[in-house]
Amino acid sequence: MSRVRVLVGTRKGAFILTSDGTRERWEVDGPHFSGWEVYHLKGSPADPNRLYASQSSGWFGQIIQRSDDGGTSWEPPGGGPTTGPDGMPVGQSNRFAYDTSDRTGKPLTTHQWYDGTQHPWKFKRVWHLEPSLTDPDVVFAGVEDAALFRSDDGGLNWNELSGLRGHESGPLWQPGAGGMGAHTVLLDPSAPDRIFVAISAAGVFRTDDGGLTWAPKNRGLRSQYIPDPDADVGHCVHRIALHPSRPHVLFMQKHWDVMRSDDAGDSWHEVSGDLPSDFGFPIDVHAHEPETVYVVPLTSDAERYPPEGKLRVYRSRTGGGAWEPLTEGLPQSDCYVNILRDAMAVDRLDPCGVYFGTTGGQVYVSPDSGDRWRPIVRDLPAVLSVEVQTLP
Amino acid sequence: MIRVVIPYHLRNLAGIGGGEVELEVEGPVTLRSLLDALEARYPMLRGTIRDHATQQRRAFLRFFACEQDFSHEAPDTPLPEEVASGREPFLIVGAIAGG
């Protein structure tokens, strides 16, 4: 029988939740990296036992951790207790050095700051890890300050794909309130050299040549909080998602507005429809129904909790426009949690399972595509990310 | 032999038991040579005490020895003889911060 493994990153460590295909009884393993923020964990589609985790702290910076046994044991790539011929340890921890080489032809030294002045690029943390669809040793990292890095050796060495940050709009990018993170990395299963990246608060960028050159993909987005509401860059994109069977269709939860693209991001149109609020963070697509989409509306950007204190996932079965509230099993009073951008995921089972985590430390599962929900755990630290692996 | 006390989380990260690390440092014992030796012995600590790129001390860490604050000293400042000889430990201390 199939199993699922849910990878949960929190403010104070990582947790691994496992169940069989019924998704009724759960084992909770953790915390891993206790006391550290774990922004994101994700498994390799090519080798489900190969997991990557982003561990960070305000004191000690960024560590990449790797597991080769499905999360039972972890080690910083190259930094484990191995020794060389001289008896000294070998390897290195994780160095995310921005590219300032002549290769880019650009100085890549500053970007816009909150006050409109220019500010040096400075690496702070990894927001999102996206392993290659085919090679367990290849993994991409979306980082703050916004940039995309790639490792070809299992997370030991990282090289910036500097064409992204070197795009002519780079000096105009400025952070949102939570920082300027490259928070979403989507790989196109039909086009190995196509990658989508979303940056807060710059917008969506796409490469079709493996990361060498990039183009903004924000036409159709309107943001009243920037000087030119229709600008090429500067839009606060919270999350984008696609279905692997139809990767030219993208869905977006923007700061305000839920959007859809039918041409791989070349243009967008709004599908917020009858949502009670079109502000929110996560968005995801059903595993088997590419027109079924999930969002979690929040009252407003100023308040950032569920409308009326009722935690409701909204589902559209029409690719947006018409939305239905999903409430069974979710708290319908006095609930004021947030669901962050990377904290929703779906499994590949039939029926599809949907998962999300809250800043209140609950992780919810619906084993029936959203009809009914129940908590897997209730009292974790604030949840930063949720990913799901469907295992044989 | 030089003695270094590092924070709890870094001891865990480096798989260090006990409270202190003992290091051999060649040449003059300075902040730079001490941290170089620490990172050579425990490569996974690179970037956690000093920024990878700038080599600057992380803002929430402080350096103390012999009841003196060395946090703002230049990297090649000699450390006290008591530290160089191992009579006193060098302390890397995390600030009280965060939630």
Side-chain angles (χ1 to χ4, degrees):
Chain A
M1 174 182 260
S2 297
R3 297 178 297 130
V4 290
R5 182 192 291 144
V6 184
L7 310 174
V8 182
T10 81
R11 287 270 180 226
K12 300 291 182 186
F15 297 83
I16 300 178
L17 321 176
T18 52
S19 178
D20 62 21
T22 65
R23 293 157 290 184
E24 290 179 355
R25 284 178 298 279
W26 291 86
E27 291 186 12
V28 179
D29 174 48
H32 299 273
F33 326 118
S34 175
W36 293 68
E37 288 188 326
V38 181
Y39 261 54
H40 195 222
L41 306 89
K42 194 154 191 181
S44 161
D47 176 4
N49 281 325
R50 166 66 64 83
L51 310 181
Y52 294 95
S54 161
Q55 167 191 0
S56 66
S57 89
W59 289 267
F60 312 120
Q62 174 69 55
I63 308 293
I64 292 293
Q65 294 275 0
R66 192 179 87 196
S67 174
D68 291 326
D69 55 12
T72 303
S73 63
W74 294 84
E75 208 169 84
T82 55
T83 54
D86 57 357
M88 291 294 286
V90 297
Q92 57 185 302
S93 53
N94 315 284
R95 182 182 175 92
F96 291 86
Y98 289 119
D99 184 358
T100 56
S101 69
D102 294 337
R103 184 168 60 85
T104 66
K106 297 181 176 66
L108 299 179
T109 52
T110 62
H111 64 81
Q112 198 164 167
W113 194 235
Y114 297 100
D115 61 3
T117 64
Q118 287 290 301
H119 189 86
W121 294 88
K122 186 176 181 185
F123 173 77
K124 297 181 179 67
R125 58 175 66 83
V126 172
W127 282 39
H128 184 94
L129 291 160
E130 191 66 27
S132 155
L133 300 173
T134 55
D135 185 342
D137 283 335
V138 174
V139 56
F140 297 89
V143 313
E144 179 190 2
D145 288 335
L148 184 66
F149 284 78
R150 172 180 169 136
S151 173
D152 292 312
D153 53 11
L156 173 59
N157 293 292
W158 295 88
N159 292 300
E160 186 188 2
L161 299 175
S162 55
L164 172 62
R165 203 166 48 93
H167 184 267
E168 61 185 16
S169 66
L172 301 176
W173 302 354
Q174 62 179 19
M180 192 172 70
H183 52 68
T184 308
V185 182
L186 296 180
L187 306 179
D188 185 333
S190 69
D193 288 333
R194 173 171 285 183
I195 305 169
F196 299 92
V197 168
I199 297 170
S200 175
V204 176
F205 293 81
R206 192 184 83 199
T207 179
D208 292 327
D209 57 15
L212 196 62
T213 60
W214 296 78
K217 294 294 172 186
N218 302 304
R219 188 188 307 158
L221 306 186
R222 284 187 61 80
S223 301
Q224 299 297 340
Y225 44 82
I226 56 179
D228 174 5
D230 301 307
D232 283 343
V233 300
H235 300 276
C236 188
V237 175
H238 284 181
R239 185 73 177 161
I240 56 174
L242 59 75
H243 190 279
S245 74
R246 210 176 49 174
H248 62 286
V249 177
L250 296 172
F251 294 96
M252 173 194 295
Q253 174 69 68
K254 197 162 137 287
H255 190 81
W256 290 104
D257 305 329
V258 178
M259 307 294 291
R260 171 182 177 132
S261 171
D262 291 292
D263 51 14
D266 286 340
S267 64
W268 295 87
H269 60 278
E270 186 172 358
V271 292
S272 305
D274 56 358
L275 286 169
S277 165
D278 57 16
F279 182 85
F281 287 95
I283 190 165
D284 213 338
V285 186
H286 189 287
H288 313 300
E289 301 169 11
E291 288 287 315
T292 297
V293 188
Y294 301 89
V295 295
V296 187
L298 301 178
T299 301
S300 71
D301 58 351
E303 291 155 311
R304 303 189 182 211
Y305 52 70
E308 305 168 59
K310 300 176 179 179
L311 182 52
R312 290 167 291 192
V313 177
Y314 275 72
R315 177 176 61 194
S316 172
R317 291 195 184 276
T318 55
W323 299 86
E324 57 177 321
L326 308 172
T327 62
E328 189 171 335
L330 297 176
Q332 294 305 296
S333 65
D334 306 320
C335 182
Y336 295 95
V337 297
N338 192 353
I339 294 85
L340 299 179
R341 66 183 83 246
D342 230 350
M344 177 181 267
V346 298
D347 68 31
R348 314 300 304 173
L349 296 176
D350 190 12
C352 170
V354 188
Y355 305 77
F356 70 92
T358 79
T359 54
Q362 302 87 29
V363 178
Y364 290 98
V365 58
S366 169
D368 50 15
S369 302
D371 290 339
R372 287 175 294 276
W373 298 84
R374 58 175 170 270
I376 300 174
V377 288
R378 291 179 180 275
D379 297 308
L380 298 185
V383 173
L384 303 176
S385 63
V386 172
E387 295 286 356
V388 186
Q389 296 179 284
T390 308
L391 306 172
Chain B
M1 189 69 73
I2 292 175
R3 297 155 56 203
V4 185
V5 177
I6 66 174
Y8 168 82
H9 282 306
L10 295 189
R11 292 203 302 272
N12 283 345
L13 180 64
I16 298 167
E20 291 184 358
V21 176
E22 295 188 343
L23 296 173
E24 293 287 354
V25 177
E26 293 191 6
V29 179
T30 64
L31 283 173
R32 190 196 307 274
S33 65
L34 184 150
L35 294 173
D36 285 348
L38 181 65
E39 292 174 352
R41 172 94 170 268
Y42 301 103
M44 64 287 287
L45 296 184
R46 287 186 186 135
T48 65
I49 299 169
R50 301 181 289 188
D51 181 86
H52 270 301
T54 66
Q55 292 290 290
Q56 290 182 336
R57 171 182 52 85
R58 290 199 165 276
F60 286 169
L61 295 182
R62 300 280 293 275
F63 301 145
F64 296 98
C66 303
E67 301 182 0
Q68 294 180 60
D69 185 353
F70 286 83
S71 305
H72 302 287
E73 296 294 330
D76 293 319
T77 302
L79 294 176
E81 172 57 26
E82 290 87 344
V83 171
S85 65
R87 289 197 301 278
E88 288 284 337
F90 181 80
L91 308 179
I92 301 174
V93 179
I96 306 299

